[in-house]
Amino acid sequence: MGDRSGASGSRRRRTGSRPSSQGGSGPAAAAEEEVRDVGAGGDAPAPEKDKDGDVDVGSGQWDLRCHRLQDSLFSSDSGFNNYRGILNWCVVMLILSNARLFLENLIKYGILVDPIQVVSLFLKDPYSWPALCLVIVANVFAVAAFQVEKRLAVGALTEQAGLLLHVVNLATILCFPAAVAFLLASITPVGSVLALMVYTILFLKLCSYRDVNLWCRERRARAKAKAAAAGKKANGGAAQCTVSYPDNLTYRDLYYFLFAPTLCYELNFPRSARIRKRFLLRRLLEMLFLTQLMVGLIQQWMVPTIQNSMKPFKDMDYSRIIERLLKLAVPNHLIWLIFFYWLFHSCLNAVAELMHFGDREFYRDWWNSESVTYFWQNWNIPVHKWCLRHFYKPMLRRGSSKWAARMGVFLASAFFHEIPLAWIVGRFFRGNYGNAAVWLTLIIGQPVAVLMYVHDYYVLNYEAPTAGA
C-alpha cells in the first residue's frame, strides 16, 4: 500500500508541476489535458524502456497508447523490403512442384538415364572421330594467323596484303567446319555443335589477335615518328618487365591466349599469384556433378517430352503444341540455368585458375535485367567485351553515331530474332514488370527454339527418307 500511495503521490506531483499549454486554459488546453489525463492517475508519462528497448511494464510507468501512423508492409510507401521468407516459400513450392513432375515422369516412363547412350551422341562409329579431327585442324588457322602477323611485324608484308590474308583465313574458319558438318554423314549433331562452337570462338579470338597487333604497329609507327622528330632513338630507355610488341609474337603467347577464358587479346594479361587448390577442386567437382545432372535431366525429362511433341506438330494441333511447349519450358529452363552456372562459373573459373588468369568477370547480374538489351550486355561478359572493343569503339572512331554502334553490337551479340522482342520489352515494360518480361522470354522462348529445331531435324532425317522410300 505504501508503494502504491508513493507512486500515486509522485504522479500527482508531476501533474501539478506540468506547465499549462500556451499559458492559458481555453477549450484547446482543456481538450489537450483530457487527452493526456488517461487512467486513474491523470496523464500518461513517457514510458521507461529497459536495456533491450522494450517498455518496462513492471515500473508502473508506460504509455497506454498502442497505435501510431504507419502503412501496411505490402504498401509501397512502407519502405519494407525484407521478403526473404516469401522467397524461401517460393523455393520450397518450386521444389515440391518439380518433385511431383519428376515423380510423375518416373512412374510414366521409368528410368531412362543411360550413360552409354551419351557416347552415341558424339560418335556414330568408334573408329571415326570427325568432330575431334575438325577441332585438331583448327590449329592450322591459328598458325596461319600467327605467321601473317610475324611477317607484318618485320615489314615482309604490306598492311593491305596482311588484311587480305586475314580475311581469307577468317572466312575459311566460318565456312569450312559448316561445310564439313553439312556434307559429312558420319558426324553427329552434338559433335557438329561442339566443333562449330570451337571454330566460332577461334574466329572471335583471331579477330581480336589481328586488331590488337595492328594497333600495336600503329602505335609503334607513331612513336618512331615522334622520336625521329625529336632526334632520339625510338627504342631508348630502360627495359620493362611487361611484354611489348613485337616480343609478344610467340607460339607460347598465342596458345596461352587461345586457351585463356577470354575473347579479347592483350599483350599482358592480369595474372593471379598462385593456384588455389581447394578452389580449383570445388570447381572440378561442380563440373563433374553438374554434367551428370544435365545429362540425366535431358534423358529423363526433356527427350520424352520432345518425342511426344512431334505428332502435335505434324497434325498442327495448336492446343497440344502449346501444352507441350509449357511442359517443356520447366525442364528446359532448369537445364539452361544449370548450364549457365556450369559454363560461366565452374568451367571458366577452373580454366582461369589453372592458367593464372586474373580477370574473372565472366558474368554480371543479368537476373536483375529490366530489358532484353541489359540481359544481353551482362549475361556473357567475354562476348560483350569483344563486341565493345572490336565493334562498338571502332565504329565510333570511324564516325558512326552511338545509336548505330549500339545497334551493330546488339545485332552481333543478340542476333536478328531479338530485335522486336527487345523493342517491345523496352517500350512497354519497366522495373519489375520488365524483369518479369525478360524471365518470361527466357522461359518460353528457348523451348520454342528447341521444338522448332528438333522438328526440322526430325522431318529432314526421318520423315524425308521414309517418304522417299
Side-chain angles (χ1 to χ4, degrees):
M1 293 294 292
D3 294 340
R4 290 180 181 175
S5 60
S8 177
S10 64
R11 285 198 296 271
R12 284 197 295 271
R13 285 193 296 272
R14 285 195 296 271
T15 304
S17 62
R18 187 195 311 118
S20 59
S21 175
Q22 301 293 337
S25 58
E32 185 179 350
E33 286 295 325
E34 185 177 351
V35 172
R36 288 180 177 176
D37 294 341
V38 189
D43 67 317
E48 295 182 1
K49 296 185 178 181
D50 56 13
K51 62 181 180 179
D52 295 327
D54 299 328
V55 176
D56 188 4
V57 180
S59 66
Q61 300 175 4
W62 70 91
D63 194 351
L64 297 181
R65 292 171 295 180
C66 63
H67 298 285
R68 60 187 176 89
L69 186 65
Q70 56 185 335
D71 292 304
S72 299
L73 292 184
F74 286 151
S75 300
S76 58
D77 294 335
S78 67
F80 181 79
N81 56 7
N82 185 10
Y83 296 102
R84 186 177 66 252
I86 295 179
L87 177 62
N88 293 334
W89 169 77
C90 291
V91 172
V92 171
M93 292 297 294
L94 182 65
I95 292 174
L96 291 178
S97 60
N98 286 310
R100 185 199 66 81
L101 292 175
F102 190 73
L103 182 60
E104 179 185 10
N105 180 277
L106 283 177
I107 295 173
K108 186 175 181 179
Y109 300 108
I111 298 177
L112 301 177
V113 179
D114 184 8
I116 305 300
Q117 188 182 13
V118 178
V119 180
S120 65
L121 297 175
F122 296 90
L123 294 174
K124 286 184 179 179
D125 183 1
Y127 299 101
S128 177
W129 301 64
L132 181 60
C133 292
L134 263 180
V135 173
I136 294 174
V137 170
N139 288 277
V140 174
F141 303 101
V143 172
F146 172 76
Q147 291 298 330
V148 171
E149 287 299 327
K150 287 283 286 186
R151 282 154 179 77
L152 285 171
V154 296
L157 285 175
T158 63
E159 290 294 336
Q160 290 78 11
L163 176 62
L164 178 61
L165 291 174
H166 274 302
V167 168
V168 172
N169 188 46
L170 293 173
T172 309
I173 289 174
L174 292 180
C175 298
F176 172 70
V180 172
F182 184 75
L183 298 174
L184 191 63
S186 61
I187 193 169
T188 62
V190 176
S192 300
V193 169
L194 293 178
L196 291 173
M197 183 175 65
V198 169
Y199 273 83
T200 303
I201 294 173
L202 179 65
F203 172 83
L204 297 175
K205 282 178 176 280
L206 292 184
C207 283
S208 179
Y209 189 71
R210 180 258 171 190
D211 284 348
V212 173
N213 284 302
L214 173 62
W215 298 336
C216 289
R217 285 194 298 274
E218 293 174 349
R219 182 178 297 178
R220 183 178 64 173
R222 289 194 298 268
K224 285 183 178 180
K226 289 182 180 179
K232 299 178 181 178
K233 287 188 176 181
N235 294 327
Q240 298 179 354
C241 296
T242 57
V243 178
S244 59
Y245 186 83
D247 297 335
N248 63 304
L249 296 177
T250 62
Y251 282 110
R252 178 187 179 89
D253 180 86
L254 172 67
Y255 277 93
Y256 179 87
F257 169 57
L258 292 181
F259 285 100
T262 181
L263 299 176
C264 295
Y265 176 68
E266 289 185 16
L267 275 67
N268 299 279
F269 289 104
R271 303 291 184 97
S272 56
R274 61 184 181 86
I275 295 178
R276 296 169 293 176
K277 296 182 177 60
R278 295 180 62 182
F279 178 86
L280 179 61
L281 181 61
R282 286 199 299 269
R283 301 290 82 80
L284 294 176
L285 291 177
E286 287 175 357
M287 291 168 59
L288 180 63
F289 171 73
L290 293 178
T291 301
Q292 295 177 341
L293 179 61
M294 285 189 291
V295 170
L297 289 174
I298 291 172
Q299 288 184 321
Q300 184 70 42
W301 205 345
M302 282 191 66
V303 172
T305 305
I306 293 174
Q307 290 175 343
N308 294 334
S309 303
M310 292 301 102
K311 190 175 185 304
F313 264 99
K314 184 178 179 180
D315 299 338
M316 285 301 163
D317 186 352
Y318 294 107
S319 59
R320 295 286 294 173
I321 290 174
I322 294 175
E323 185 267 337
R324 291 296 169 182
L325 176 65
L326 295 177
K327 189 172 183 179
L328 184 63
V330 174
N332 177 84
H333 188 64
L334 180 61
I335 292 168
W336 182 83
L337 291 175
I338 295 173
F339 174 78
F340 170 82
Y341 186 90
W342 174 82
L343 176 61
F344 286 93
H345 188 74
S346 301
C347 294
L348 294 185
N349 268 294
V351 174
E353 195 70 25
L354 285 171
M355 302 185 69
H356 295 270
F357 189 79
D359 187 359
R360 309 293 176 88
E361 189 187 34
F362 305 121
Y363 54 89
R364 294 182 189 142
D365 60 334
W366 58 265
W367 45 86
N368 294 325
S369 302
E370 297 179 3
S371 66
V372 177
T373 305
Y374 185 87
F375 167 79
W376 284 109
Q377 291 174 349
N378 291 275
W379 89 283
N380 190 339
I381 294 302
V383 171
H384 176 67
K385 284 182 177 179
W386 186 93
C387 292
L388 191 67
R389 188 192 195 195
H390 300 283
F391 210 109
Y392 179 77
K393 291 181 179 179
M395 287 185 69
L396 291 181
R397 286 195 293 267
R398 290 184 176 93
S400 300
S401 65
K402 288 187 176 181
W403 183 87
R406 289 194 190 101
M407 286 303 299
V409 172
F410 186 73
L411 291 176
S413 60
F415 304 105
F416 294 96
H417 64 277
E418 294 289 350
I419 295 176
L421 180 63
W423 183 83
I424 292 172
V425 174
R427 176 69 175 80
F428 296 104
F429 298 98
R430 292 288 188 275
N432 291 332
Y433 296 103
N435 183 252
V438 171
W439 277 111
L440 185 62
T441 59
L442 292 175
I443 295 172
I444 301 298
Q446 292 174 0
V448 172
V450 169
L451 287 179
M452 291 174 63
Y453 280 117
V454 172
H455 175 262
D456 290 348
Y457 179 80
Y458 176 80
V459 170
L460 292 174
N461 292 273
Y462 292 97
E463 286 197 352
T466 303

